[in-house]
Amino acid sequence: MSLFGALNVGNSGMSANQVAMETSGNNIANANTPGYSRQQVSMTEQPAFYEPGIGSVGTGVDVTGIHRVVDDFVRTQARDANSKYQYYQEKSDKLGQLQDILNEPSDNGIVKQLSTLTTAWNTLANDPELGTAKSSVVEDANSFADTVKEMAGNISDLGDNITSTLTKNALDFNSDVKQLQTLNQQIYNLTSVGQTPNDLLDQRDATLKSLSSIADVTSSVDNYGRVSLNLGNQTILNGDTRNTLSVVTANVNGTATIAKDGDTVDGQQQVSSNYPTNTILLTQTGDDGQASYSQVTIDSGTVGGLETAAGEVTQRLQELNNFATTIAKTINMVYTNGQSSTSGFFEIGNDASSYASKMAVNAALTANPDKLTAGASGTSGDNSVATAIVNLGTQKFDYPVTDSQLNSYNKTTMTFESSASGKTYSDAFNNIVTKNAISKQQADNLATAQNSVLSQLNNQDQTVSGVSVNEEITNVIAYQRGFEANARVISVISDMLDTLINKTGA
């Protein structure tokens, strides 16, 4: 061991402390950078020099690497929690919009308008020849029908909005997966030559977090830091294999319209399939450019929440259609005294799937309310029709009303056989509102609970990977002292060498 060896020791100490200072400075600079993970210098002593008769003599320090400080287990748990939170939050948001459309309880909602219409019929029953009473019935019936039509249209628009949002989510998902594939290659290129690409690894984790917001992907990492992705038991990304998500945007008579890869402009395709609207499809594109589709189940993330909400919105729309069907047909049967269920007082068209969106008062009655019939006989003072329609409000029907119950209409008593499992008009609509309210409340509660879990996991992650400026400043001071001390060692050795070389001699 010579003075030159001691000089090398001091030099290695200066270099190591310089790298450590630069790393702490980088941590401080990125303290508020989203997705940045705190970095730490790893140091190890250089192999000792064995001096006969003395023993091992230290030869300095080596910087063996700069590593991110992360807890991969916590980050995986955080991604799972984030995926579940986004699921419930998205579901709650869409069901909240549906709740606004249903507009109950309200002073101008469906139930209130039903009550107003019943009151108008009752007024007409008390004075069958009163022109203003007839006008009130027609006016209130038009208001009710218009509200039902508008509500059906708004719910249908909400369903279309969900479909549009699903395609955007699929597009974002595919973009993130493509970016992850690029990151995989970049990470491999660096790690395969012994480098640690901390910035790329941070980008990789940020991309995985973004993907977890959209769907419940599972990931695995190989020895080079490359990520493989699965959705359920189906492969999304593995090596050079990259599959995508597509969305069924419509299905007409067994022909599904698919937004391939979430592209609604250039990616529209039609296939003979019974995939329901809003179905998510795993898409594999062959070398010939032909795509093959298979349904994939997504239980979390915004896509899962949107799919679930879409199903409930579709169900509520069908229930509204059934509600309108029962009201229109039963009132028509009484008004025509058993002659017709689809026309007479209300017109609902010929398509059973769109009765709510086509519901309207007979145009002839709207044009001239005096044509409204208050009694079945048509004689002056007959109020039988008006009275029977008032009584319908307390009778229990199935939704939609069955043919057998319609056929049970008694022309003499102008009544139907009551359904043991049925509901009144108001109860039927309140049941629609209640179902949605319960589902939304459950989503709200679960979103709140999941957000609490997510916050705890994010705090744990920040405890490990987040930058503490105070801690880094303390480290900078310590590394500065280390650098200065090693510089002092070099200065002393330089003086010793000067004495040895220039001030000693024969």
Side-chain angles (χ1 to χ4, degrees):
M1 186 68 175
S2 64
L3 288 177
F4 289 104
L7 190 65
N8 182 68
V9 172
N11 182 61
S12 69
M14 286 181 64
S15 297
N17 280 282
Q18 180 181 347
V19 172
M21 266 198 301
E22 291 173 353
T23 301
S24 287
N26 186 56
N27 286 339
I28 293 170
N30 288 282
N32 297 313
T33 301
Y36 179 79
S37 301
R38 177 168 62 95
Q39 296 180 12
Q40 193 174 65
V41 175
S42 297
M43 301 182 190
T44 185
E45 60 179 322
Q46 292 181 357
F49 172 77
Y50 181 73
E51 183 74 26
I54 298 176
S56 297
V57 179
T59 60
V61 62
D62 274 335
V63 174
T64 57
I66 303 174
H67 305 285
R68 298 185 311 150
V69 182
V70 297
D71 188 329
D72 289 327
F73 176 76
V74 171
R75 289 203 166 178
T76 299
Q77 295 298 307
R79 287 195 292 268
D80 290 343
N82 181 49
S83 189
K84 292 175 183 176
Y85 169 70
Q86 296 296 336
Y87 171 88
Y88 293 119
Q89 187 62 34
E90 194 67 41
K91 179 181 176 182
S92 172
D93 178 64
K94 296 307 178 185
L95 294 185
Q97 294 180 43
L98 178 57
Q99 190 173 57
D100 292 340
I101 293 171
L102 294 174
N103 193 30
E104 290 291 348
S106 170
D107 291 336
N108 58 353
I110 289 289
V111 175
K112 178 65 175 179
Q113 291 193 35
L114 266 176
S115 176
T116 301
L117 180 58
T118 300
T119 300
W121 278 110
N122 192 56
T123 301
L124 181 62
N126 292 332
D127 193 346
E129 306 305 322
L130 186 63
T132 56
K134 292 183 178 182
S135 296
S136 293
V137 168
V138 173
E139 182 179 347
D140 291 339
N142 271 312
S143 295
F144 173 76
D146 288 344
T147 300
V148 171
K149 282 195 298 185
E150 182 180 7
M151 187 175 293
N154 289 339
I155 296 176
S156 181
D157 289 344
L158 177 59
D160 293 340
N161 175 262
I162 291 176
T163 302
S164 176
T165 307
L166 271 174
T167 58
K168 182 183 182 304
N169 273 259
L171 197 65
D172 291 342
F173 182 91
N174 295 332
S175 177
D176 283 346
V177 173
K178 186 176 182 179
Q179 180 183 357
L180 196 57
Q181 186 180 39
T182 301
L183 287 170
N184 275 349
Q185 186 59 51
Q186 293 173 340
I187 290 170
Y188 173 77
N189 292 340
L190 293 175
T191 54
S192 61
V193 294
Q195 297 185 37
T196 305
N198 293 318
D199 55 337
L200 295 178
L201 294 175
D202 282 343
Q203 291 180 46
R204 181 200 68 188
D205 286 357
T207 304
L208 285 173
K209 183 178 180 180
S210 175
L211 284 167
S212 74
S213 297
I214 301 173
D216 50 333
V217 292
T218 56
S219 60
S220 59
V221 182
D222 66 12
N223 293 333
Y224 294 99
R226 295 176 296 188
V227 172
S228 296
L229 292 178
N230 289 298
L231 199 52
N233 59 355
Q234 302 193 63
T235 299
I236 297 295
L237 179 64
N238 187 10
D240 294 331
T241 300
R242 178 172 62 87
N243 297 321
T244 58
L245 296 184
S246 300
V247 181
V248 179
T249 57
N251 191 310
V252 180
N253 299 325
T255 298
T257 300
I258 297 174
K260 182 178 179 293
D261 302 339
D263 185 352
T264 57
V265 179
D266 299 322
Q268 294 279 35
Q269 295 186 359
Q270 290 189 328
V271 297
S272 296
S273 171
N274 285 321
Y275 292 129
T277 301
N278 298 320
T279 299
I280 305 298
L281 302 175
L282 183 76
T283 308
Q284 297 173 295
T285 304
D287 295 335
D288 58 357
Q290 296 298 310
S292 60
Y293 302 102
S294 59
Q295 188 170 350
V296 60
T297 301
I298 299 177
D299 297 322
S300 295
T302 54
V303 168
L306 286 166
E307 274 195 292
T308 302
E312 296 199 24
V313 167
T314 299
Q315 190 173 353
R316 299 292 89 79
L317 179 59
Q318 183 58 54
E319 289 168 355
L320 178 65
N321 195 66
N322 294 342
F323 167 79
T325 298
T326 295
I327 288 182
K329 285 188 174 182
T330 52
I331 289 179
N332 283 340
M333 286 290 284
V334 172
Y335 189 77
T336 63
N337 202 18
Q339 298 302 308
S340 174
S341 64
T342 57
S343 63
F345 184 77
F346 284 117
E347 301 295 332
I348 53 178
N350 299 317
D351 184 359
S353 65
S354 62
Y355 282 157
S357 61
K358 299 291 179 63
M359 190 177 190
V361 177
N362 187 308
L365 297 178
T366 299
N368 186 2
D370 287 337
K371 291 184 177 181
L372 183 67
T373 301
S377 65
T379 59
S380 178
D382 186 359
N383 67 352
S384 58
V385 169
T387 301
I389 291 178
V390 170
N391 293 334
L392 290 178
T394 59
Q395 192 164 358
K396 293 183 177 181
F397 296 100
D398 294 319
Y399 295 82
V401 63
T402 61
D403 289 340
S404 61
Q405 193 169 20
L406 287 175
N407 292 333
S408 73
Y409 178 73
N410 187 315
K411 294 183 178 181
T412 302
T413 61
M414 303 182 76
T415 60
F416 299 87
E417 290 182 4
S418 191
S419 170
S421 59
K423 296 179 178 63
T424 64
Y425 294 158
S426 295
D427 287 344
F429 188 78
N430 282 329
N431 186 55
I432 298 173
V433 175
T434 301
K435 284 181 180 179
N436 183 69
I438 291 173
S439 186
K440 184 186 184 306
Q441 185 62 49
Q442 289 175 338
D444 287 342
N445 293 340
L446 290 170
T448 300
Q450 202 61 48
N451 188 43
S452 177
V453 173
L454 178 59
S455 295
Q456 292 177 15
L457 289 168
N458 283 336
N459 288 337
Q460 290 182 37
D461 181 56
Q462 280 300 303
T463 299
V464 175
S465 301
V467 176
S468 168
V469 174
N470 290 336
E471 181 182 346
E472 295 301 332
I473 289 294
T474 302
N475 289 339
V476 167
I477 295 172
Y479 297 139
Q480 178 191 11
R481 297 300 184 200
F483 185 90
E484 291 173 348
N486 281 280
R488 181 59 179 161
V489 169
I490 291 175
S491 178
V492 170
I493 294 172
S494 177
D495 289 343
M496 292 172 67
L497 287 171
D498 180 63
T499 299
L500 178 64
I501 295 172
N502 298 317
K503 297 181 182 180
T504 60

